[in-house]
Every structure is written in C-alpha cells, then in structure tokens.
Amino acid sequence: MRAFLRITSLVWSILFLFSIPLAAQNLTQTIRGTVTNEITGLTLEGVNIQILDTRYGTATDETGQFKMSGIPIGRYILQATAVGFDTLTISELYLQSGKEVVLDLQLQERSSILGEVVVTGTSNPFPNDIPSVTLLTQEATVRYPATFYDPARLLTAYPGVVNDNDQANGIVVRGNSPNGVLWRLEGADIVNPNHTPNAGTFSDQVTQNGGGVNMLSAQLLSTSAFFNGAFPTEYGNALSGVMDMRLRKGNNQKRESVNQFGLIGLDLAMEGPFSQKTEASYLVNARYSTLGILSAIGVPLGDETINFADLSFNLNFPLKKGGELSVFGVGGASSNVFEAERDSSLWEFEKDNQDITFSARTLIGGATLNLPIGNKSNWRTVFAASSLETERTAEVLDANFELQPQDNAINNQSIISLHSTFKHQLNDISQLKVGLSVNRQDFEIYSETDLRPEAQGEGGGFLLQPYFDVSTLIYSKVTLNTGLRYTRFTFNGTDAVEPRVSVSWKLPSDQNLSLAYGLHSQLQNPQLYYAIVRNTNNENLDLA
C-alpha cells in the first residue's frame, strides 16, 4: 500500500502529460431498452417513456422495446408509466458520449394502490418494498470520489457503513465484522471476489471478506444491491450484510468499446451483438494493475510490489416467450510481495522485519435461466461454481538480519451454488415467492507459525436453505412481507429456523418508513473449523 501511495503522483503526472484537450462538441446519444412485468418477466406494450423536463418521449412497441435518439449528453430523470402499473422513475440516468444507454425496466403490477416507485439507476432487479436495501448503480460507482470504481468502497458513502481499513474494501456494517458479509453474483453465493484478500489485515493474513479492490470492473456491473439490516427471506448465511452484484447485458445492436487508464490500472471493455441476425450479446472486460505495469517497465516501487489482473464476461441469449439465458465468468490473480528494510531503525509496524509473499487465484463461472410461466408466474435459476486459492509465506529477520522461517499458510475454498426461485402473483395485491438454495462448500486449510501448526484440515458439506415469502398490501401504501427460511449444514449437522417479517410504509416525497425483524445465521470461517485447540479441532461448531 505504501508503494501505491508513492506512485499515485507519478500516475497522475503521466495522465496529465498524455491528456489531449478536446474542443467543445455538441454530442448526442441514444437511450433504448425493454420494459417487462416485474413478476412474470413478460414484455409490456404501450408503456409511455418520458425524459422529464424535456421534449423527448416515446412508447414501447409490441415487443416491449423503445428507443430515443439525438439526446444531448448529460444527466436526466426518466419516467415510465402504464395503466395498471406503478409509475417507475429513474432519478440517476447518465448519458455519456461514445456509449448508448440500454435499459431493462421492470414495472410492478401488484401495487396499483401505490403511487410511484423511484429507482436510482438504470435498472432494478430487486423489489422496491424491501427495507434496509441500498441500490448501487454503475453511474454512482464511477461518480463518487475515492471509490476506485469499486462498489464495496461506494458503500462507505451511506449511513452505518465504513471500511475496516483505508488499504482495503472490507465492509463494516454498524460495527460488525466484515466476516459477517455474504458475497453473491447474479443471486448465487460465491467466494470472496476481491483481489489481494490480505490487504490491510494484521501481518497480511488472508481474510474471507474484502481485499484491495473488487475483481469486477464498474464497466461490467449493472444495478447491484447491498442489504444491511433484516434481510429478505431469500438471503441467508450472513449476519451483518449481503452484497448481491448483478452484471449488465452487452449492447445487442451496436458494437462499443471503452478503454481507460487510471490509478487502478488499464481497463478494457468490449460489447456488442454476436451478429445482426440475433438479439444475443456479449460483454467482455479485462484489467491489469497500474503497479504491475510500472513494475514491468522497471519503475522502483519501494518495499512492496502489488499486482493484479482479471478477465470477466457476460453473454446474454434471449429465448422464446420472454425467456433469457445468460452465461458469465470471472477470473483473477493477484499478489503482493513485501521485502523488509535491512535497517531496524526504519521498522515501524509488526510486519516490517519480515519478507512476506502472498498470492491469490480466483475463478467464478455460472449461468442464469429466467423463464416466464403463464401470465402470473416466473421461474429464475442461477448456477455458479467459484474457487479461491491463497498462499502466504513469511520469513523474519533475526538480529543478524538473516531470514528465519516464520509463517506458512494455505487457504483454499470452493462453492458450488444452485439457487432457484419461483414467483407467483396471487392477486392484485399479493405475491408468493418460493425458493431453494443448495451450496456445496469445501475447504482446505493449513496454517503454521514458528513451524507449529495452528489450523489444519480439509473437508466440506452441503448448505441447504429452502424458504418461502409472501408479500401483500395490507393498507394503502403499507406492504407486509412475511417469510420463513431453514438452514442446514451437513458438514456437522448444525441447523437453524429463521423467521423473517417486515412492514414498509411509503411516505410522500420519496420517503419510506420500515420496521423489520429477522433471525439470521452464518457458517463459521473455515479457519475456525480446523483451528487446533488442545490437539483437536472445532469441526462441531454451531452456526453463528
């Protein structure tokens, strides 16, 4: 991290020297997209689309699509209205040069008693009546300062959330440990999706949550959600928060690319249709760290070398009758090497007398299938497989500045996740949600200090989590959510029954008052199951 701070001014100098002033231009861009029913996923015809306080407007065609061209670049508020549906307002719509805005809008049918639904972002795959949810948009991730285009760092702009360390993006919610956070991608549980997952920790030890920077570039993300309170019934295995990241679709009509270089690194993104004869699209993003580039060309980086690279993609294939198939993947590798100064007068921190080498490799892949069933139901299934392998070695300098073995640690984790949800519109004011989450969790843990083992073992089990939830309007603008979730970990036979209930009241002027209760449980960190205590381990630990 010290090397990162030293090199910041150098990077800014390079960017300044190579910047080219652009003459003012009267640039315009296109907004287009599709409008669907939030419950069934079916497209909606005749929805009025209006950019407020402008002359630009249109309506969706028989396929639910709309298009507006020649709009000057800038920030706008967009509104979608239709008879029998809530009005949807997008208050953060950013139109930029060189890139069309493609929206996937979802209108809520059930709450005709309600007035208007306000969404910040280009799309919203999450229900709007859930308490304690923060929607994270791509536009906000790019616009807010000091986020490094990282959605986890963006969270610190909201009440009750701080980072545990300026060097990392570990999320502390209301004072709870970052280990209480669950990471999801497209709705499936995954391993820690952050580069250098030892950043900012004591003596560079690995952590299960957080790291230097998220592996997913803001170029790839759509509207994501962070839950920081009593989570909805479909979210489990978390105590303090849930980060559910969603990927956006590539442009299915026009090929586009965004190439940028900054403090984080080189960021390249490409998207477009597979062909002009299909609506299928691709989106690919690759990054390589600035410090890695500077190290490769021989720039001195001080006592620590940090490097990372990642490649991610999202492929989207529309199906008949409003169905959709997506295939996604993320691969990342990161490392940091710390070399101690051979002068003890320069040592300030715990690790300053050690040579530490850390490396991490992450793979995530999966697919989502979204199918409308009739006019009142929808079935969505996501499958994902993810793995994280980390290795850390440390040698300490003795009084003669000779290196002696100190620490050695291997932490490998894999999750195979299947999450299936069925939603059904019961009547005009109520909906039912039934789901099942099945995760296969496997661990391989080895840790020693001064040649003495501290944690050792390998194994795993299934995490089974069925649930159901009923949402209904009990009074004008008052929504009641009730649900029940069951959790069982076959690794040691521990289980929990988790009731959930919440009441949400929509107030004037876009205000919302919510009261929620939930019982939540979470697996212990893998290191705790295999920690050696009095020559035995802790495999029988209950859920937290």
Side-chain angles (χ1 to χ4, degrees):
M1 185 63 188
R2 281 179 259 173
F4 180 82
L5 296 175
R6 290 191 190 105
I7 215 67
T8 297
S9 59
L10 176 60
V11 174
W12 277 116
S13 299
I14 295 174
L15 294 176
F16 177 78
L17 291 175
F18 285 90
S19 63
I20 302 176
L22 297 177
Q25 302 178 55
N26 184 23
L27 298 175
T28 62
Q29 193 50 268
T30 297
I31 299 176
R32 60 181 181 86
T34 305
V35 182
T36 59
N37 185 309
E38 188 264 330
I39 296 295
T40 66
L42 297 174
T43 57
L44 299 176
E45 180 182 1
V47 178
N48 292 315
I49 309 297
Q50 179 70 41
I51 299 179
L52 299 186
D53 300 324
T54 74
R55 59 181 176 83
Y56 299 102
T58 186
T60 58
D61 59 21
E62 64 277 4
T63 65
Q65 299 185 42
F66 66 92
K67 183 175 182 178
M68 293 180 286
S69 301
I71 304 173
I73 61 174
R75 301 184 188 277
Y76 297 98
I77 299 175
L78 183 141
Q79 195 170 80
T81 58
V83 176
F85 292 85
D86 293 338
T87 296
L88 176 66
T89 300
I90 298 178
S91 60
E92 290 184 2
L93 184 62
Y94 180 45
L95 202 59
Q96 55 185 320
S97 61
K99 191 175 184 59
E100 292 184 344
V101 171
V102 182
L103 305 175
D104 290 308
L105 306 180
Q106 298 178 350
L107 297 189
Q108 294 184 3
E109 179 182 6
R110 69 177 186 273
S111 53
S112 55
I113 300 176
L114 299 182
E116 179 178 347
V117 177
V118 178
V119 176
T120 56
T122 57
S123 62
N124 178 25
F126 307 96
N128 297 291
D129 51 14
I130 295 178
S132 64
V133 60
T134 299
L135 299 180
L136 308 174
T137 68
Q138 181 197 48
E139 190 273 341
T141 305
V142 173
R143 174 166 54 91
Y144 276 63
T147 65
F148 298 129
Y149 304 145
D150 186 338
R153 293 180 186 269
L154 173 62
L155 287 170
T156 60
Y158 296 93
V161 184
V162 298
N163 278 25
D164 62 344
N165 191 296
D166 289 341
Q167 302 180 36
N169 63 4
I171 303 169
V172 175
V173 184
R174 303 181 312 276
N176 289 292
S177 166
N179 287 332
V181 175
L182 170 72
W183 287 92
R184 277 188 168 188
L185 181 59
E186 289 294 308
D189 295 8
I190 59 172
V191 298
N192 183 3
N194 291 288
H195 287 302
T196 56
N198 66 330
T201 62
F202 179 75
S203 287
D204 287 347
Q205 298 285 349
V206 68
T207 180
Q208 294 299 309
N209 287 276
V213 66
N214 198 279
M215 291 183 191
L216 287 167
S217 167
Q219 299 292 340
L220 204 75
L221 292 174
S222 178
T223 298
S224 300
F226 182 73
F227 300 89
N228 63 352
F231 319 130
T233 315
E234 64 185 282
Y235 292 93
N237 193 29
L239 294 181
S240 67
V242 177
M243 173 66 89
D244 193 350
M245 299 181 295
R246 298 298 174 98
L247 306 175
R248 70 178 181 88
K249 304 173 188 176
N251 194 322
N252 61 4
Q253 295 183 7
K254 179 182 178 181
R255 288 185 170 85
E256 298 176 324
S257 65
V258 175
N259 307 318
Q260 56 187 10
F261 178 72
L263 294 178
I264 291 297
L266 182 65
D267 193 332
L268 310 175
M270 296 185 298
E271 60 184 292
F274 282 103
S275 72
Q276 299 301 322
K277 299 180 181 180
T278 177
E279 292 292 316
S281 65
Y282 66 87
L283 173 60
V284 181
N285 182 267
R287 295 188 304 177
Y288 193 83
S289 65
T290 297
L291 296 180
I293 295 173
L294 297 176
S295 177
I297 62 177
V299 176
L301 299 177
D303 53 14
E304 188 166 13
T305 301
I306 303 173
N307 194 11
F308 73 80
D310 53 57
L311 176 67
S312 48
F313 66 87
N314 187 30
L315 313 179
N316 183 263
F317 305 92
L319 305 176
K320 295 181 179 180
K321 299 182 180 181
E324 187 176 79
L325 172 67
S326 295
V327 179
F328 59 89
V330 183
S334 60
S335 65
N336 58 298
V337 179
F338 179 83
E339 184 176 347
E341 297 283 357
R342 268 49 179 179
D343 183 352
S344 58
S345 65
L346 301 176
W347 298 347
E348 299 179 24
F349 303 100
E350 177 72 21
K351 72 174 186 178
D352 282 353
N353 65 338
Q354 302 176 39
D355 283 2
I356 302 174
T357 301
F358 178 87
S359 63
R361 296 167 297 279
T362 305
L363 286 175
I364 304 172
T368 63
L369 179 63
N370 195 65
L371 295 174
I373 301 176
N375 295 322
K376 294 292 183 180
S377 305
N378 178 269
W379 177 42
R380 184 180 190 273
T381 298
V382 55
F383 170 83
S386 58
S387 67
L388 170 61
E389 300 178 352
T390 68
E391 184 173 357
R392 176 186 179 278
T393 59
E395 297 176 295
V396 63
L397 291 172
D398 60 20
N400 298 318
F401 296 101
E402 298 291 335
L403 289 172
Q404 304 297 330
Q406 175 73 8
D407 299 330
N408 184 30
I410 296 175
N411 287 272
N412 299 334
Q413 181 183 7
S414 66
I415 301 176
I416 298 176
S417 178
L418 177 68
H419 190 172
S420 188
T421 304
F422 175 78
K423 294 191 297 184
H424 178 68
Q425 189 77 37
L426 296 173
N427 50 49
D428 290 341
I429 61 173
S430 302
Q431 68 168 267
L432 170 69
K433 184 182 295 183
V434 179
L436 174 64
S437 176
V438 179
N439 295 340
R440 173 66 192 188
Q441 306 259 351
D442 285 289
F443 321 112
E444 180 185 0
I445 305 296
Y446 179 78
S447 176
E448 67 175 14
T449 300
D450 295 329
L451 304 181
R452 294 193 305 270
E454 293 183 331
Q456 183 175 359
E458 59 180 294
F462 286 95
L463 182 63
L464 308 175
Q465 301 174 95
Y467 64 90
F468 75 90
D469 179 271
V470 177
S471 175
T472 186
L473 277 170
I474 59 175
Y475 188 69
S476 176
K477 300 185 179 182
V478 179
T479 303
L480 173 67
N481 287 278
T482 57
L484 187 67
R485 185 181 188 91
Y486 174 71
T487 298
R488 181 174 180 82
F489 190 32
T490 64
F491 173 72
N492 55 15
T494 55
D495 61 359
V497 178
E498 306 174 17
R500 311 283 175 87
V501 61
S502 68
V503 178
S504 182
W505 180 20
K506 293 187 181 297
L507 303 174
S509 303
D510 302 335
Q511 302 298 309
N512 193 72
L513 178 64
S514 300
L515 179 67
Y517 163 83
L519 180 63
H520 308 277
S521 62
Q522 186 182 37
L523 301 183
Q524 304 289 350
N525 287 337
Q527 293 94 329
L528 293 182
Y529 287 119
Y530 296 112
I532 298 175
V533 180
R534 296 179 181 175
N535 297 320
T536 186
N537 57 28
N538 298 315
E539 291 186 7
N540 293 323
L541 283 176
D542 203 347
L543 300 172

